[in-house]
Amino acid sequence: MPSKVEGWKDEIYGNEIRDHLFEFAEQGWDAIPDEEQDAWFERFKWWGLYHQRKGQESYFMMRIGTPNGVLEPGQLRVVGEITDEYARGPVDNPEFGGAYADWTTRQSIQLHWIKLEDIPAIFEKLESNGLSTIQACGDSWRNIVGCPVAGKDEHEHVDAWPVARQLHDEFKGNEAYSNMPRKWKVSVTGCDEGCGQGDINDLAFEPAVKELDGEEVTGFNVRVGGGLSRKEPRFARDIDVFCTPEDAPKVSAGISALFRDHGDREDRFNARIKFLMDEWGPEKFRQVLQDEYMDYELPTAGEDLRDQYTYNAGDGEHGDHVGVFDQPDGRNYVGLSVLTGRMGADDVLELADLADEYGSGEVRLTQRQNVIVTDVPDEKLEAFLDEPLLEDYSPDPHPFMRGSLACTGTEFCSLSITETKNRMVRYARWMRDNVDVPEGVEDFHVHLSGCTASCAQPQIADISLRGMKTRKDGEPVEAFDIGLGGGLGEDPHFADWVEMRVAADEVPGYIRNLLADYEERREEGQSFRDFIAAHSEEELQEMGEPEETSYEDPYMHNTKMTWYPYAEEDDMGSSPAPTDGKGQSLPADD
């Protein structure tokens, strides 16, 4: 039997959701019947809208897709203006203020506190400026990711940006692929660093060379079935297929149609293509693809370039694109570190001004939640680097500031178990001020995810934090499982989970102690990741003891049970939600 969600989708899904969404926006929150809310909220995701969690009824998170992270000139200003006007909630965040934009680990944008009634106006402004929320969520093609400086970088073998753009244009809103068994994540990478993170995507195009008709051609090898979600991570597997950039849309259509037709629609937990790949294996997968979905003979895989991959590999690397780098055209791109990927509305607008003043106006988003200003000429570079905004968003940050990621957390997410964004900000600052960085370490990645859904990609970090609960001094407190040694690069490896349910305020002490052990015991030149790999789980559990330190965590209470973790009165009963289109509380039902 199809799952409940499949039943909802059979009734209404895809492009047709928009008309219903606009009708609800005109009538207001109360127009959505209580008994139909779950169905409509599931459908709204197709248009980039997630209803926020309990206590925040009538408010939505809105995700804006930016293929390959590219924001064309003028578009960042549009995002900033929408953030400033429409993304203000009833309570300010103590770190980020009343309105802010989140850059995500899929090179997208998330806004919070969006009112249903404002959605038509927001859509009009986005779409008139070449932006959209279409299929930013839901069971469909998600935002296509890749090297954020495709076409602007000296490390690429093939410019993947035209391919990503073509796939975006062809599959967004395409009815033939609008209703997949689950989300469909695609990566297109043309560089030799692997920063498109193809290993953890459902479908990955990775640079390769092959002789075709007597001529060496640069294109892509194809991998399928990667993903991190829940406790079932997989690396994408080689299906022995090479394709040219021109054939990428055909291959994409065939593989996504295969998933559409053969993916599990009865059990949503098993509905990702990684489970179909587990069941079939790469050889059967390729054979079905060839026999049932392709109208030409698929070439076998070419010589891949994975031996050059450095992204998130645990050694000194260029792949996060933070810093100042040459473009092939003689100009520069400048990657700015954005701690936890969140920028206040005023900073977004100021960055848009700086991109116009010093560059072409184009800005790009990375999978490490950072931003890149492109096309800065040499004669303007020094003045740009002296801008006050770059004191907060540095191109040369401290390793702990540079490598800290966090998901949305209990601030807005119904799945999360712990607070994340503000806590990671405090963790990073405390570590910067109190933890000695081992000699030679320039990049150190700490990823904090509020639950097992892995939105902060914890399994591929040096130190992985996964939200849990525990008891301390007899009281329930927020806590984290701790994993070590994850990363991508030429030889990818998922983190090994070595400590369970460490109280949140003891995590920084654990990291300090672990890095001290690493500094003392490592072999000369040994990276942190190699050090972790060289020790057994039992040996690792004897290192890095959790410890209370001078760090004080303000969120040790159960933020899952508050309507908003940062409100002065944070119990559920003090929530103003649900509210009307102007943010005024709606009267309770009699």
Side-chain angles (χ1 to χ4, degrees), residues 98 121 147 187 258 401 407:
C147 173
S187 168
L258 184 157
M401 308 296 281
C407 70

Side-chain angles (χ1 to χ4, degrees), residues 182-229:
R182 281 291 301 278
K183 64 185 74 170
W184 184 243
K185 296 182 175 182
V186 178
S187 168
V188 186
T189 308
C191 73
D192 60 13
E193 296 168 313
C195 52
Q197 299 191 159
D199 280 308
I200 57 172
N201 278 264
D202 297 300
L203 169 60
F205 294 93
E206 299 190 321
V209 293
K210 185 177 178 66
E211 186 173 302
L212 295 176
D213 299 324
E215 181 179 343
E216 185 174 89
V217 176
T218 302
F220 306 101
N221 281 348
V222 181
R223 290 178 174 254
V224 177
L228 297 177
S229 59

Side-chain angles (χ1 to χ4, degrees), residues 31 95 98 150 359 370 428 493 533:
E95 287 291 340
N370 296 319
H493 182 75

